[in-house]
Amino acid sequence: MYDYETQNEKLKAEIKIFKIKALKEKIVLFGVVLLILAEVLLLFSFFKKSLFPAKPIRSPYVAVINIDKTITVPYIDKLTKRMQALLKDKNCKEFLLIFNTPGGSPSASDEFNAFLKWVNKKKKVNVYVESMAASGGYYIISAIKPIVANKNAVVGSIGVIMPHFVIKKLADKIGIEEDSLTIGKYKEPVSLFRKFSEKDKEYLKSHLLMPTYQNFLQTVAKDRNISIDKLKQYADGKIYVASIVKGILVDKISTLIEYKEEIKKRLGKNVKFIDIPLERKRVPFFNIKLTSDIGKFLEKIAQ
């Protein structure tokens, strides 16, 4: 005997399950749409900043640049290009370079030292050592007077280093051999597979390290208007807390907020301090994670 009542109940239950499933799909679809809209709005805001030029600053300002990376040629190239562009802006009255760098390439440091002297003739360059301006960093800031620093900032490290690692024991274990072919007895003074010989050390010191060190000394001595003999007392590679070498490697001890107020007194209270980024922010990729069949389909489209 056919049980119509039972079958009717089963049908109602199936319809209910179907409605619930359909409702879940609609909720998921609605969520997907909201996520995509959110991503589109976010992308639009990033593209707007990237593709359309920022509104020019209509009031006087000081361009603040944080030098917080190891000094390399590519990094210095970015800094010089950014500052050259700002030189053309009439509302950019001065520069404030905040140093937080351990140093780096002697060549890049020398190039930026010379560049800052050139810029300083066109627009005043202010330098402030917030945490560190060591080695190549100090090479750079010696170009500008006065050097203002936090009392606990690290300066100095005037010297030259050539790092060298020997991996021979490791290479022997994994079966790596060196088989270089050179012409000229001094062509390969450095190898990862052996220690420096006394002959190599003498050659590298006389032809690379000492000339670079002398260039470092001469540039800083001239920039700081002190004798090389006096500078050598602070140029044996030691680092110094700024308060200890005030009047020698540093001209003035201050804090960043106090130094900014000092600049304001010179330029006027209405001057702004604008942080200048060297690189644009990257645009984030879509990152939608869904579980339903519709969600998976839309996720594939979104990727």
Side-chain angles (χ1 to χ4, degrees):
M1 184 176 179
Y2 188 77
D3 191 346
Y4 288 98
E5 186 174 346
T6 301
Q7 294 300 322
N8 189 39
E9 289 298 325
K10 287 183 179 181
L11 181 60
K12 287 180 179 180
E14 289 177 358
I15 293 173
K16 186 177 181 180
I17 291 172
F18 178 79
K19 287 182 177 180
I20 291 173
K21 186 176 180 181
L23 180 61
K24 287 181 178 179
E25 294 289 354
K26 288 181 180 179
I27 293 173
V28 171
L29 180 61
F30 181 70
V32 170
V33 172
L34 287 179
L35 284 172
I36 292 176
L37 285 174
E39 290 281 0
V40 169
L41 289 173
L42 185 61
L43 285 171
F44 177 75
S45 66
F46 275 95
F47 278 122
K48 186 178 180 181
K49 291 179 181 179
S50 300
L51 300 178
F52 299 97
K55 293 181 179 180
I57 301 168
R58 301 297 183 185
S59 57
Y61 71 95
V62 175
V64 181
I65 301 176
N66 194 343
I67 299 176
D68 57 357
K69 292 180 173 57
T70 300
I71 305 302
T72 63
V73 171
Y75 182 50
I76 294 306
D77 284 345
K78 289 180 182 179
L79 287 167
T80 54
K81 287 177 182 178
R82 199 73 182 92
M83 291 181 71
Q84 282 177 327
L86 290 166
L87 281 174
K88 300 174 183 178
D89 187 350
K90 294 181 179 179
N91 287 316
C92 176
K93 300 304 179 183
E94 295 183 3
F95 293 96
L96 173 57
L97 306 184
I98 302 174
F99 281 76
N100 295 286
T101 177
S105 164
S107 297
S109 300
D110 186 68
E111 289 288 346
F112 200 47
N113 173 290
F115 176 76
L116 290 185
K117 291 172 185 172
W118 176 78
V119 172
N120 199 39
K121 294 177 182 178
K122 302 175 182 297
K123 285 186 181 181
K124 183 172 176 57
V125 177
N126 305 279
V127 298
Y128 179 76
V129 186
E130 187 172 40
S131 66
M132 179 180 289
S135 192
Y138 188 77
Y139 195 133
I140 292 170
I141 63 171
S142 68
I144 302 298
K145 279 192 174 183
I147 295 176
V148 183
N150 181 281
K151 61 185 178 183
N152 295 311
V154 174
V155 296
S157 189
I158 299 174
V160 181
I161 185 173
M162 182 178 181
H164 179 234
F165 301 93
V166 179
I167 62 168
K168 186 178 185 307
K169 291 182 179 179
L170 175 61
D172 289 342
K173 287 182 179 181
I174 59 179
I176 298 177
E177 296 181 9
E178 183 180 35
D179 188 24
S180 300
L181 184 63
T182 63
I183 297 177
K185 62 180 180 179
Y186 291 107
K187 187 58 181 176
E188 192 183 31
V190 181
S191 171
L192 292 175
F193 292 84
R194 58 180 171 80
K195 293 182 179 180
F196 287 131
S197 67
E198 290 304 317
K199 187 177 180 180
D200 291 335
K201 290 179 181 179
E202 183 59 34
Y203 167 68
L204 290 169
K205 284 181 180 179
S206 62
H207 284 74
L208 180 61
L209 301 185
M210 188 54 71
T212 304
Y213 178 66
Q214 291 297 333
N215 289 338
F216 198 159
L217 284 178
Q218 289 170 10
T219 300
V220 173
K222 183 178 180 180
D223 290 344
R224 299 293 298 159
N225 193 28
I226 59 177
S227 68
I228 289 181
D229 288 337
K230 184 177 181 179
L231 179 60
K232 279 185 177 180
Q233 299 174 37
Y234 303 89
D236 57 358
K238 289 180 182 177
I239 57 174
Y240 299 91
V241 172
S243 58
I244 297 177
V245 288
K246 179 186 174 184
I248 304 166
L249 301 184
V250 169
D251 296 302
K252 184 177 180 180
I253 299 298
S254 183
T255 62
L256 184 57
I257 187 66
E258 289 172 342
Y259 194 34
K260 285 184 175 181
E261 288 300 314
E262 184 180 321
I263 295 172
K264 272 189 175 183
K265 286 181 182 179
R266 185 174 66 251
L267 297 178
K269 293 183 178 180
N270 293 327
V271 71
K272 297 179 181 179
F273 290 86
I274 305 297
D275 292 326
I276 306 298
L278 296 183
E279 297 177 348
R280 297 186 183 277
K281 294 180 180 180
R282 294 182 179 180
V283 179
F285 292 101
F286 283 105
N287 187 24
I288 303 173
K289 294 183 179 179
L290 304 165
T291 55
S292 71
D293 292 338
I294 295 177
K296 289 178 181 179
F297 173 72
L298 291 173
E299 183 183 9
K300 290 180 180 178
I301 296 176
Q303 287 178 340

